[in-house]
Amino acid sequence: MTSMTTRLRDRRLDDAPTRAQAIAFGASGFPTQLMAQTFSAFVVYFYVTHLGVEPTWVAAAMIAHGILNAVLNPVVGALSDRIRTPWGRRIPWIGLGIVPLVVAFALVWMPPELPTVGLITWFLVVVAVYDVAFVVVVLNISALFPEIFRTTDERARGNVPRQIFAILGIVLGTAGAPALYGSIGWPGMAIVLSAVCLVLLVWSFFGGMIERRVPEAASEAMRWSDQLKYTFANRAFVPYVLGSLFIQTSIAVVLAALPFYVRYSLGAAEGEASLLLGAIFVTAIPSIVLWSAIVRRTSPRAALLWSVAVFGIAMLGYMLPSTVLAAALVGVVVGVGVGGLLQLLEVVLAQIIDEDATRTGHRREGAYFGVNGFVVRGSVVLQAVVAAAVLTASGFDASLGDAQPDAVDGGIRVMVAVVPLVFAALAWLCFWLYPIRSRDL
């Protein structure tokens, strides 16, 4: 154990990461997205349908989960920037958080036999541990990205495996989890997915998560008041974080609207929404490579503007189809834009962090990723407001089944096509105001 901790303490990255290190670092995208997607997609269904907990109690617990997760992001980010150890700033957080994260994820799906109050208490406690560990691990992994990959070229190349792993994690969390709990039960699913996540996180931790030798690591940490002042006064960060909020809202609205779109506009089974999602994600994987090449030849700002434009305009295509196949073809074009967003958003944020370090003398990856994580959580609220407003205005009534008023089809098409375009346009405007126009500082 002493030998291992000594090696972790002494290893530092002095040159560009090797391909093996970049792939190992990128592998972290798979388990983190697998856990996040499985949790968000199935936890309410599990506690309400399988365990019989009252939906209002689960909804209240999920609200508490959302608030805790949002607040943790800036707090953990600021602490990560301030705390110095012989092992670095990020590595101790990640190393200490991996096992609690995986165990807490498994326990979410393995509650003991308890009455309703006991199940809600179990949910709140276990999910609180899961939230803390998830933010600690994922935020610090994100904070390592701008440090490991120092130039736009390195970041464009290094982010490719990470985002591809992330998409694969999303797909498995969406499609693989139901297959597992249907065949081996919920506890079996929890054990299998947790074991996979643990193996990949450990590989990523030892193979790709390496801090650099930076002078800031030995300097006095920035004061709390200065942290806030420099972050929210940053002329590049403010339009970026607002643009991120709008584009994440656009994506959230699309994901929420697709099941309604498939059933009530296309007249198909709700399960066929997976075909539309599949078209988007399958196209996004090669598109990540395409956008990596584009940003290396232009600049982060220019490439991001193009990707937002492609995404927003492609969304209008959902107004026209009358079949699932035609909608899936639209999804292919949407996936090109999604691939750009996945590839470029963190590349742009890394550039903001570089510029901030030049001005302040401090590298504050944790603060920026933390505040960004806090703000974009607002997309969940905006998505819920949009969905409720559109469905109510169009006269949607769940008790009517498939016999909805004619206005519902039009309202849902607006929700899946026009509303995302509006939010994408707002994001494009924010990113257009982004002041850093060079490829590297």
Side-chain angles (χ1 to χ4, degrees), residues 79-97:
L79 287 172
S80 177
D81 286 338
R82 291 175 62 86
I83 294 176
R84 278 75 163 108
T85 76
W87 295 270
R89 293 187 296 170
R90 320 296 180 191
I91 295 300
W93 292 85
I94 300 169
L96 293 174

Side-chain angles (χ1 to χ4, degrees), residues 145-177:
F145 173 71
E147 181 178 332
I148 292 174
F149 305 98
R150 298 167 297 179
T151 66
T152 295
D153 186 82
E154 287 183 8
R155 289 163 181 166
R157 296 178 190 275
N159 208 28
V160 169
R162 187 173 174 217
Q163 297 306 329
I164 291 175
F165 273 116
I167 290 176
L168 294 175
I170 292 171
V171 171
L172 182 58
T174 303

Side-chain angles (χ1 to χ4, degrees), residues 330-402:
V330 174
V332 169
V333 185
V334 173
V336 175
V338 170
L341 299 174
L342 292 172
Q343 171 69 358
L344 297 168
L345 284 171
E346 288 195 3
V347 173
V348 174
L349 183 53
Q351 190 179 51
I352 294 170
I353 292 166
D354 290 344
E355 188 272 339
D356 177 81
T358 301
R359 288 188 301 107
T360 67
H362 294 263
R363 291 204 64 87
R364 301 190 300 124
E365 294 92 346
Y368 280 104
F369 276 99
V371 173
N372 182 67
F374 175 80
V375 173
V376 299
R377 291 291 295 185
S379 64
V380 177
V381 177
L382 292 175
Q383 171 265 314
V385 171
V386 167
V390 171
L391 293 174
T392 301
S394 64
F396 177 82
D397 185 347
S399 66
L400 297 177
D402 293 333

